[in-house]
Amino acid sequence: MHPSVWASSSAARALAAPVGALWVIRLWGEFDAESIHVVERVTYEVLRSSVAPVVFDLRQVTFANTALLNHLIALRLHRPVGLVGADRVMRLMVEVSGAALPVFPDLAAARSALSADEAP
């Protein structure tokens, strides 16, 4: 069993924990060029310790710009990635970028879809 991983700054917080066959990274706060290191640190630890798909829970994100979007796109090159709780602006950024980042209505849907992607 892998332990939870977390990082925080004055503007942002990230917590990653395994949930079934994938990792969920929950984000809180504002993610821009000044605070993206918080999610980068947690993501690095997840990549180092597991090969499982990653779901980002964005329900508590109050602001995100292309710093977060670029991080998610880069991670997609290494792992299946999904988003839960993406607000209208994040969904629009994903759509306009053409990124292959699926947005799910809830964690159960993300787990089902990403676990199916891993099946032989």
Side-chain angles (χ1 to χ4, degrees):
M1 182 76 170
H2 297 288
S4 298
V5 178
W6 67 275
S8 65
S9 73
S10 61
R13 185 172 55 155
L15 172 68
V19 177
L22 52 82
W23 276 82
V24 175
I25 300 178
R26 289 180 171 86
L27 303 179
W28 291 266
E30 301 179 3
F31 292 88
D32 57 18
E34 296 294 317
S35 60
I36 195 66
H37 69 278
V38 170
V39 69
E40 288 172 341
R41 179 183 303 147
V42 169
T43 302
Y44 171 77
E45 291 300 323
V46 168
L47 288 174
R48 209 170 60 84
S49 65
S50 171
V51 296
V54 179
V55 173
F56 285 85
D57 182 341
L58 307 176
R59 292 177 293 180
Q60 300 300 316
V61 172
T62 56
F63 174 80
N65 67 12
T66 56
L68 180 58
L69 180 63
N70 290 336
H71 176 77
L72 298 172
I73 291 169
L75 178 58
R76 183 67 177 103
L77 298 174
H78 303 280
R79 280 309 138 76
V81 174
L83 307 178
V84 171
D87 68 10
R88 183 182 60 78
V89 174
M90 179 56 81
R91 289 191 314 267
L92 182 60
M93 284 194 306
V94 168
E95 183 180 329
V96 169
S97 73
L101 293 169
V103 178
F104 299 100
D106 55 37
L107 184 56
R111 285 181 67 185
S112 177
L114 292 175
S115 295
D117 286 348
E118 292 296 299

